[in-house]
Amino acid sequence: MLFTQQDIPAICELIAQGQLLAYPTEAVWGIGCDPFNEAAVHEILGIKQRPIEKGMIVVTASPQLIQPFLAPLASEIQQAILTSWQQTTTTDQAHTWLLPIPTNLPQSIPDWVTGGRDTLAVRVINHPDIAAVCQALADTQPNNPYGFLISTSCNPSGDTPATNLAQAQAYFGDRIGYLVGDTLGYTQPSQIHDALSGNLVRN
């Protein structure tokens, strides 16, 4: 099933029903679902042949939605994260951060997303269409106040990530939904940094 940016309510309903959605990100196409739906996450792991121990990236619409994750961090760490998410050029990589998971969240983060770790890989996405979907998820789905959407590359493990709709459909056919659109033209998938150590986990 194909969706456009005008179909955000229908996209939210698809995700609420535990279905999968492929969509353009900054550099490549991603495939996502409701991270709080165990069956949906396991379906992604299955069609990608991806081990659960690797954990999953989630994207969201704005730093305001994830204040519970940012507030405990030192101010200089918060500023580094926010600065990395404010870039808008089309030649840079996007930035994903491993954020410590607070213990007092109103909605806990399940192990099937983290791979059993005490951190969550989070990115405020620069793609306006996907940011709009994430904001709508936060507004309409009480179990997901952070507007999180799973974001893993749209390909079976070991294959080249899809960079357009045709390639995504060639991988997964009519098994999933698709948000029609283009990537932002970034040349590489996102870097992953550890927020507390500052270490580069993935270049």
Side-chain angles (χ1 to χ4, degrees):
M1 184 177 297
L2 300 181
F3 300 93
T4 69
Q5 200 271 342
Q6 285 71 39
D7 298 320
I8 286 179
I11 292 171
C12 288
E13 183 61 27
L14 179 89
I15 293 169
Q17 292 173 354
Q19 303 300 308
L20 310 187
L21 179 75
Y23 53 87
T25 70
E26 296 94 342
V28 298
W29 271 58
I31 185 169
C33 68
D34 176 0
F36 300 101
N37 186 315
E38 184 175 8
V41 173
H42 278 282
E43 184 174 358
I44 288 183
L45 294 172
I47 66 174
K48 280 182 58 73
Q49 302 163 35
R50 178 184 175 89
I52 193 171
E53 293 78 15
K54 282 191 171 184
M56 309 283 272
I57 292 173
V58 295
V59 294
T60 189
S62 71
Q64 288 71 32
L65 288 175
I66 57 167
Q67 277 304 302
F69 293 84
L70 298 176
L73 300 174
S75 58
E76 61 270 20
I77 297 176
Q78 291 188 45
Q79 190 56 55
I81 294 170
L82 295 176
T83 298
S84 76
W85 285 338
Q86 289 165 357
Q87 67 171 22
T88 58
T89 61
T90 58
T91 56
D92 293 329
Q93 290 176 274
H95 296 273
T96 297
W97 291 84
L98 296 176
L99 303 180
I101 299 173
T103 58
N104 58 346
L105 292 176
Q107 179 68 36
S108 61
I109 307 301
D111 286 346
W112 59 77
V113 176
T114 66
R117 298 171 182 83
D118 58 2
T119 57
L120 177 66
V122 182
R123 182 167 81 257
V124 170
I125 194 163
N126 282 333
H127 199 295
D129 291 351
I130 313 311
V133 170
C134 292
Q135 184 63 57
L137 292 174
D139 292 341
T140 62
Q141 299 193 11
N143 75 314
N144 189 0
Y146 320 108
F148 285 152
L149 177 67
I150 291 288
S151 185
T152 184
S153 59
C154 187
N155 58 283
S157 293
D159 290 342
T160 302
T163 57
N164 57 51
L165 174 62
Q167 291 173 357
Q169 289 177 308
Y171 282 138
F172 298 121
D174 59 1
R175 299 165 67 182
I176 64 175
Y178 300 87
L179 175 54
V180 178
D182 297 319
T183 70
L184 297 186
Y186 287 30
T187 56
Q188 300 179 70
S190 69
Q191 290 185 342
I192 301 178
H193 296 264
D194 185 282
L196 292 185
S197 70
N199 292 338
L200 184 61
V201 178
R202 184 182 78 184
N203 194 1

